[in-house]
Amino acid sequence: MERSNISMIAVAWFRPDEWRQIKRVSPDLQDTHAEWLANAEAGIEAFGSPLKEQVIKVILTVDELRKWKQSTGRKVDAKARANLAVRIAHKIRGTNH
C-alpha cells in the first residue's frame, strides 16, 4: 500500500451567525447554513478513510471573503473559496506550498 502525499485537505467552513452575509458575497452556496453543513459533512464523509482524517476545516469569515473579492475583482465562487481555504491552512501550518 502506498502512502498518500496528501498531508491535509483544506475545506472552507462557515459560521452559522455569518451565513446571511456570506450568502451575499457567495450567492452560489446553499440557501441555509443547515443545508450547506449537511452537504459539506457528506462531502467529507465521502472521502472515506484515511483521507477524511486529513481534512482541516478552515473557517472563512465574511470579512476575508470580501477582502479577497476586493483585491482580486473576481467573484467568490467554489474555486475561490477552496483556494482561500488552502492558503489560510498553509499559513496556519507554517508551510508555503
Side-chain angles (χ1 to χ4, degrees):
M1 182 173 180
E2 290 184 43
R3 283 190 62 181
S4 171
N5 289 334
I6 298 173
S7 62
M8 71 174 167
I9 301 169
V11 176
W13 214 253
F14 307 101
R15 293 187 192 120
D17 59 314
E18 287 194 328
W19 191 253
R20 285 186 183 165
Q21 293 173 305
I22 287 171
K23 277 290 291 174
R24 287 186 199 121
V25 178
S26 295
D28 64 317
L29 288 166
Q30 289 82 357
D31 289 337
T32 68
H33 184 269
E35 289 173 319
W36 167 80
L37 183 60
N39 189 53
E41 288 177 340
I44 290 170
E45 200 58 38
F47 284 132
S49 291
L51 287 180
K52 70 180 181 181
E53 284 80 31
Q54 303 299 319
V55 170
I56 296 178
K57 297 173 183 174
V58 179
I59 295 174
L60 299 181
T61 66
V62 70
D63 289 339
E64 288 167 327
L65 296 176
R66 285 179 182 149
K67 284 177 188 174
W68 184 90
K69 184 176 182 176
Q70 288 174 341
S71 69
T72 65
R74 297 182 2 220
K75 64 182 178 178
V76 183
D77 58 10
K79 184 177 179 179
R81 292 186 301 268
N83 287 335
L84 189 53
V86 167
R87 245 188 282 157
I88 292 170
H90 283 300
K91 283 183 187 177
I92 292 167
R93 288 256 173 128
T95 59
N96 295 323
H97 302 133

